[in-house]
Amino acid sequence: MFDTILFPTDGSEHAQTVLEYALDIAETRDATLHILSVVDDRAFLTLDDDRVEDVRSELEEQAIAAIADADAAAEARGLRTDSDVAVGSPSTAILDYVDSADIDLVVMGTSGDHYEQNVVGSVSQRVVEQSPTPVMTVGIDV
């Protein structure tokens, strides 16, 4: 039933809590864990043009590091992984990945470290409402 599981991550401490759930489900189901980190380009809207490239590079480095950490945890459990960095609106990027990778289950947190920076609503809420596949949300206080 769940052969491909998506774990979207921002690399936060809260994401590590959610990762444990994703790892457990993937291990139990012998599933491939897909790890996605999204560089939120909405942050560029308020930046001066000369700062965009530096900020983009920094955010991409953080996304790559977040994926590497999750990938290492999955490999330590002997899980198959597939990972990607996307650029764009997080909920849109997650939903696009769900479609393109034929994801069976999304495991994500209900909030991240930077909730106060969200431009419009909650990423997890939009994914839950629009995902064609089941979404398991994990409260960050678990």
Side-chain angles (χ1 to χ4, degrees), residues 9-11 16 37 59-71 85:
T9 181
D10 61 2
Q16 293 303 313
S37 191
L59 292 175
E60 286 175 354
E61 287 174 19
Q62 290 173 1
I64 291 167
I67 287 172
D69 289 345
D71 194 45
V85 173

Side-chain angles (χ1 to χ4, degrees), residues 38-110:
V38 181
V39 175
D40 187 348
D41 66 355
R42 297 174 301 175
F44 306 146
L45 296 174
T46 60
L47 292 178
D48 293 332
D49 289 342
D50 59 335
R51 294 199 52 227
V52 170
E53 192 55 42
D54 289 338
V55 172
R56 180 187 309 270
S57 293
E58 182 180 330
L59 292 175
E60 286 175 354
E61 287 174 19
Q62 290 173 1
I64 291 167
I67 287 172
D69 289 345
D71 194 45
E75 283 185 19
R77 292 192 184 198
L79 296 172
R80 296 175 308 278
T81 62
D82 192 3
S83 59
D84 195 17
V85 173
V87 177
S89 167
S91 60
T92 301
I94 292 166
L95 291 165
D96 288 347
Y97 192 93
V98 165
D99 287 336
S100 68
D102 199 25
I103 297 297
D104 299 319
L105 175 69
V106 179
V107 180
M108 63 189 302
T110 56

